[in-house]
Amino acid sequence: MTPPAADPLAGISFRPAAAADQAVITAIIREVGINPLSLKWPNFLLAVDAATGAVAGTGQIKTHGDGSRELASIATRPAYRGRGIAGAIIRRLIAQDAAESTAPLYLTCVSTMGPFYEPFGFRAISAAEMPRFFRRLQGFVSFMEHFVRRDVTLLVMRREHEPPPGR
Ligand SMILES: CC(C)(COP(=O)(O)OP(=O)(O)OC[C@H]1O[C@@H](n2cnc3c(N)ncnc32)[C@H](O)[C@@H]1OP(=O)(O)O)[C@@H](O)C(=O)NCCC(=O)NCCS
């Protein structure tokens, strides 16, 4: 009989961030080069290397002025990638959000990252389907893309917590 495969998440634990984590959250988001705005520690869930206490990965859910909720700041430090850490953070944040709200969860990403989020139930949506915050954001980014980069576009994705009526 073949022995069971080792758990790639062995030695990784998950916990809500604390005030003392603010600096490392900001540093990791800078290191991986994603949106550096709205990195408030109370919104964050962290993956931690249990042996060293080092933060291995991050994710958050932030709420916008129009009430829409966004999964954001999904990042795994390079040395910890490919072990399912980001997936585990995403699943935990989705479960946490579903416990707090029945409203859909949104995210924004570059178009090349769309396939990464689809297995978690996120689907790309059109401007007509977007809450005000994301419609404005996408309008602004499209305007900038026109001048800067034409090959990568901003995707807005949505995940429904509840199945649509009648299904
Ligand atoms: C993207 C990122 C968070 C993935 O972290 P990770 O901990 O290595 O991810 P996981 O190990 O949980 O991978 C989950 C799945 O996504 C897949 N995946 C990883 N990167 C992917 C990509 N760029 N496109 C499509 N799928 C991808 C993995 O193959 C894995 O699939 P599997 O479960 O079928 O094997 C990490 O590479 C990172 O921090 N990148 C820089 C920051 C970034 O781009 N964040 C997302 C902003 S929208």
Side-chain angles (χ1 to χ4, degrees), residues 91-144:
R91 277 190 293 277
R92 281 170 167 76
L93 286 172
I94 287 172
Q96 176 190 312
D97 191 63
E100 291 171 8
S101 168
T102 54
L105 192 55
Y106 294 85
L107 66 79
T108 64
C109 62
V110 289
S111 50
T112 50
M113 286 300 290
F116 173 72
Y117 290 108
E118 282 169 5
F120 302 100
F122 286 91
R123 299 284 171 264
I125 55 171
S126 67
E129 299 173 277
M130 292 174 198
R132 193 179 63 232
F133 173 85
F134 293 97
R135 207 164 42 242
R136 285 187 176 165
L137 178 69
Q138 205 202 33
F140 174 71
V141 172
S142 304
F143 174 75
M144 296 304 287

Side-chain angles (χ1 to χ4, degrees), residues 19-69:
D21 298 311
Q22 184 65 67
V24 75
I25 290 170
T26 308
I28 290 175
I29 299 305
R30 282 217 188 107
E31 178 187 4
V32 305
I34 57 175
N35 182 0
L37 304 175
S38 298
L39 304 179
K40 298 187 181 118
W41 68 264
N43 295 334
F44 273 78
L45 178 71
L46 304 179
V48 176
D49 185 327
T52 63
V55 177
T58 68
Q60 67 159 324
I61 291 181
K62 51 189 181 184
T63 304
H64 298 293
D66 62 0
S68 57
R69 296 154 77 88

